[in-house]
Amino acid sequence: MQYLLLIYQNEAGAPAGDSPEMATMSKEYADYTRAIRESGHIVGGNALQRSASATTVRVRDGKTLLTDGPFAETVEQLGGYYLVEAAHLDEAIGLAARIPGAKWGTIEVRPVRPMAPPA
Amino acid sequence: MLPQVGNTGLMDPRLAEAIERIYTNERDRILATLIGMVRDFDLAEETMHEAFAAALGLWQSSDEIPDNPRAWIVGVARHKALDRLRRQAAFAGKLPELQHGVERIGNRGMPQSAGTRGEDVFPDDRLRLIFTCCHPALSTEAQVALTLRTLCGISTDEIARAFLTTPQTMAQRLVRVKRKIAEAGIPYSVPAEHALPSRVDSVLTTIYLIFTSGYSAASGDSLVKADLCREAIRLARLVDTLLPGRGEPAALLSLMLFHDSRRNTRTDGDGNIVLLEDQDRSRWDREAIVEGVESLAKALRLGVGDNSADSRYAIEAQIASVHATVSCPGDTDWPRIRALYADLKRVAPSPVVELNEAVAIAMSEGAEAGLARLAELESCGRLDNYHLLPAAQARLLDGLRRWAEAAERYQRALTLARNEPERRFLAARLAAARARMAESATLEPTCDTH
């Protein structure tokens, strides 16, 4: 079976980019990623950009409605995901709007954080 | 205004004035080109200012301005941006995005002739900038703030004052919106044809919001607010010029011009509200009205689409034009206004539109008919806290000499009014209605005895 491991954290409490805490955290993540690669468990994974960079997409009455910011409804639950390659946000929004669930649910479009290739 | 750089006091005033003029007229276009090159709002703005500072010194010592100063500034700023990115890349080692930035700018062909010949070497990128600043994935406040800061060059402090917030909050908002554009990959481009109608609507909504923020009687720095109206009109003119085949920008432009033509007559010298029918029409801005009429004709000729949102401004502009083009309030074609509000109600339904339609009914069919419609509107409850509903009722009751009822409605409107000029206006009307009420009570003393 495959499992999706979702990482939740408080963005406001995240360490600064150049702090020793960040260096420690980056190393821990690199170690963990290497370990699950070596054990053959990893299928894929990404760090995401801050939630403020998200755009939520809904399609109602055939019209695409956009909202700045992450999905904030508590009535709906995460039901699936697609990871897509798109040239820019407009293309990603277009893909999101074509997901059937966009007609009744909500799609959060969140950019993946670009990572330097492993040294 | 050009930020103070170096000692401009020692400068030939004509040269200083010429550079100031270049800054005023070319700033948005230069910035749009630079953002297109470096894909970084802050870097583009900083290097543009550095290039203007360099221009002040260089053009002074050579005592002449290049034939194409815009290309000169772009060339120098681009060079400075490239320099800075290279330094950062060298300092930070191998950061891929910096290296990528250097390559991108380096590859963007910089014509050798720039600055020496008079030809225009850079395309006008302002449309791309407008569509980026007004991207629907950004919040409305963010769109407004970024548009004012970037396309209009209004300072963060001034924007904060106009929107009654602190400079810190406004600065934060600008940082966040620029970060979202970069992180989310919002493209720096004019949308494809199929997406254009909805994207144009987003741009026009932002422009109109800037205008109404400047036009509303709510508090806020009045000088900055006049700037907002001027800038909104300038932006609409720009979009109209850059998207010549579309009617909607021309429709919005004409709507704002008609409103703005009355700017100087909407209040008296003491800041009191003067109603449309009491305004001195000889002081309306004729030039603005003429341009408004032309823009409206153009919009209707080009068509404004079947999309409801697209035709909204055209209908509102037609209503405004009926008022703007009659020299005496008594000549106003109220049946036409009523018909236009009925159209507007269809494409952009809202209780406020229905309120205006009720007033047009009163003006074309009589106060009783208007009051009946207002009563229906009141009973639906959607305008419970809107002061203009009881204010409209009060005015019609005034006209029917039903002073006691008018006074009660003015009192209600006064309770709901949102700003000082409105409160002063309604308080004066209330006092007048009460005086008439007392007068009629003494004239007809038998009324109350039954």
Side-chain angles (χ1 to χ4, degrees):
Chain A
M1 281 185 67
Q2 289 196 337
Y3 293 91
L4 188 62
L5 312 183
L6 299 163
I7 305 162
Y8 288 91
Q9 57 195 9
N10 182 357
E11 283 176 1
D18 48 3
S19 62
E21 291 84 358
M22 182 54 106
T24 309
M25 195 178 86
S26 299
K27 187 180 177 307
E28 284 178 4
Y29 267 107
D31 291 346
Y32 173 76
T33 309
R34 193 181 313 111
I36 62 170
R37 184 180 301 124
E38 283 167 7
S39 64
H41 288 102
I42 196 164
V43 178
N46 285 293
L48 301 178
Q49 294 282 24
R50 269 170 289 236
S51 62
S53 67
T55 305
T56 47
V57 181
R58 291 178 182 84
V59 176
R60 300 290 183 269
D61 301 324
K63 281 178 118 175
T64 303
L65 312 169
L66 304 183
T67 318
D68 179 33
F71 176 66
E73 185 82 42
T74 49
V75 180
E76 295 164 349
Q77 289 79 35
L78 187 64
Y81 79 97
Y82 286 99
L83 180 66
V84 297
E85 183 73 47
H88 45 64
L89 183 65
D90 287 353
E91 198 175 309
I93 288 170
L95 293 165
R98 285 165 52 200
I99 295 176
K103 290 197 289 286
W104 55 84
T106 305
I107 314 298
E108 177 178 327
V109 178
R110 181 91 80 90
V112 166
R113 195 186 305 167
M115 286 285 170
Chain B
M1 214 189 83
L2 183 59
Q4 282 302 310
V5 266
N7 193 346
T8 47
L10 292 173
M11 202 165 199
D12 174 0
R14 275 179 326 179
L15 191 65
E17 202 185 297
I19 295 177
E20 179 78 47
R21 203 167 45 240
I22 293 165
Y23 183 81
T24 307
N25 296 335
E26 305 281 5
R27 168 194 177 287
D28 60 346
R29 196 167 158 179
I30 292 170
L31 190 60
T33 302
L34 287 170
I35 292 172
M37 286 177 171
V38 304
R39 299 298 158 95
D40 178 329
F41 280 68
D42 292 328
L43 182 62
E45 192 174 351
E46 283 159 24
T47 52
M48 175 181 74
H49 283 143
E50 286 172 21
F52 268 103
L56 281 176
L58 248 150
W59 298 350
Q60 184 184 20
S61 53
S62 66
D63 201 28
E64 67 171 351
I65 292 178
D67 288 343
N68 189 341
R70 181 171 68 228
W72 192 95
I73 297 280
V74 168
V76 170
R78 171 188 167 275
H79 199 79
K80 286 179 185 291
L82 199 52
D83 238 30
R84 206 188 291 188
L85 285 173
R86 276 198 190 113
R87 268 204 311 275
Q88 282 173 6
F91 182 73
K94 50 188 190 308
L95 274 183
E97 63 255 44
L98 283 177
Q99 202 50 50
H100 185 59
V102 170
E103 281 162 22
R104 193 177 49 223
I105 306 172
N107 291 339
R108 222 163 262 261
M110 181 66 196
Q112 290 303 307
S113 60
T116 52
R117 281 192 243 149
E119 66 197 291
D120 214 336
V121 288
F122 301 107
D124 192 342
D125 269 348
R126 284 176 295 184
L127 203 51
R128 296 208 280 168
L129 182 55
I130 291 171
F131 278 112
T132 304
C133 290
C134 301
H135 196 284
L138 304 172
S139 72
T140 313
E141 305 98 74
Q143 291 179 38
V144 167
L146 189 63
T147 301
L148 288 173
R149 182 74 205 92
T150 308
L151 278 148
C152 308
I154 296 182
S155 75
T156 307
D157 284 14
E158 284 172 324
I159 304 170
R161 254 185 288 147
F163 289 92
L164 302 174
T165 176
T166 64
Q168 290 81 358
T169 306
M170 193 50 76
Q172 253 307 311
R173 191 176 294 170
L174 285 163
V175 168
R176 285 207 199 99
V177 61
K178 289 179 211 168
R179 195 188 284 159
K180 163 123 191 197
I181 290 172
E183 287 184 355
I186 289 181
Y188 195 65
S189 62
V190 175
E193 192 63 37
H194 73 272
L196 211 47
S198 74
R199 293 291 306 276
V200 169
D201 189 49
S202 176
V203 168
L204 297 184
T205 303
T206 301
I207 293 177
Y208 196 36
L209 196 61
I210 290 172
F211 182 84
T212 51
S213 306
Y215 199 72
S216 78
S219 49
D221 190 301
S222 61
L223 282 175
V224 180
K225 287 175 64 177
D227 273 353
L228 295 188
C229 290
R230 210 174 21 249
E231 285 298 328
I233 289 171
R234 188 182 70 84
L235 288 172
R237 245 187 231 127
L238 182 63
V239 176
D240 180 41
T241 313
L242 298 176
L243 283 173
R246 306 198 70 88
E248 310 93 307
L252 177 61
L253 174 60
S254 87
L255 172 61
M256 296 191 297
L257 285 165
F258 287 136
H259 284 322
D260 205 52
S261 71
R262 302 198 281 265
R263 158 169 298 281
N264 296 324
T265 59
R266 292 162 65 226
T267 51
D268 65 15
D270 302 320
N272 297 309
I273 292 172
V274 181
L275 292 179
L276 187 59
E277 65 258 38
D278 301 326
Q279 292 175 12
D280 175 359
R281 297 185 178 217
S282 68
R283 287 175 56 225
W284 285 0
D285 182 346
R286 302 316 306 176
E287 242 176 83
I289 293 172
V290 167
E291 192 189 347
V293 169
E294 285 166 4
S295 300
L296 180 56
K298 179 184 167 187
L300 296 176
R301 193 174 63 242
L302 286 170
V304 285
D306 348 300
N307 191 339
S308 57
D310 301 340
S311 48
R312 186 178 73 221
Y313 299 124
I315 298 171
E316 287 187 61
Q318 289 177 78
I319 294 168
S321 89
V322 175
H323 291 300
T325 52
V326 292
S327 48
C328 161
D331 296 341
T332 308
D333 186 352
W334 284 104
R336 171 148 171 74
I337 291 179
R338 188 201 161 169
L340 286 164
Y341 272 118
D343 287 345
L344 188 58
K345 194 168 72 175
R346 210 170 42 246
V347 301
S350 92
V352 174
V353 170
E354 288 186 45
L355 172 59
N356 286 316
E357 188 196 22
V359 172
I361 288 172
M363 297 304 287
S364 51
E365 289 174 24
E368 299 283 2
L371 280 170
R373 181 56 78 86
L374 288 172
E376 280 171 38
L377 199 51
E378 191 185 0
S379 65
C380 80
R382 283 180 304 164
L383 288 174
D384 274 354
N385 295 313
Y386 191 51
H387 64 295
L388 291 182
L389 174 66
Q393 290 170 320
R395 277 184 59 72
L396 296 178
L397 291 164
D398 249 350
L400 294 169
R401 311 172 71 83
R402 287 155 64 176
W403 313 118
E405 291 162 85
E408 187 277 323
R409 293 281 81 192
Y410 276 130
Q411 181 62 62
R412 173 73 186 149
L414 188 57
T415 321
L416 298 172
R418 290 167 302 188
N419 61 58
E420 208 34 58
E422 281 172 349
R423 274 192 284 273
R424 272 208 305 275
F425 175 84
L426 290 165
R429 291 280 167 150
L430 174 61
R434 280 186 177 149
R436 293 290 184 83
M437 196 168 82
E439 217 173 87
S440 61
T442 51
L443 286 175
E444 301 158 47
T446 52
C447 282
D448 291 338
T449 57
H450 292 289

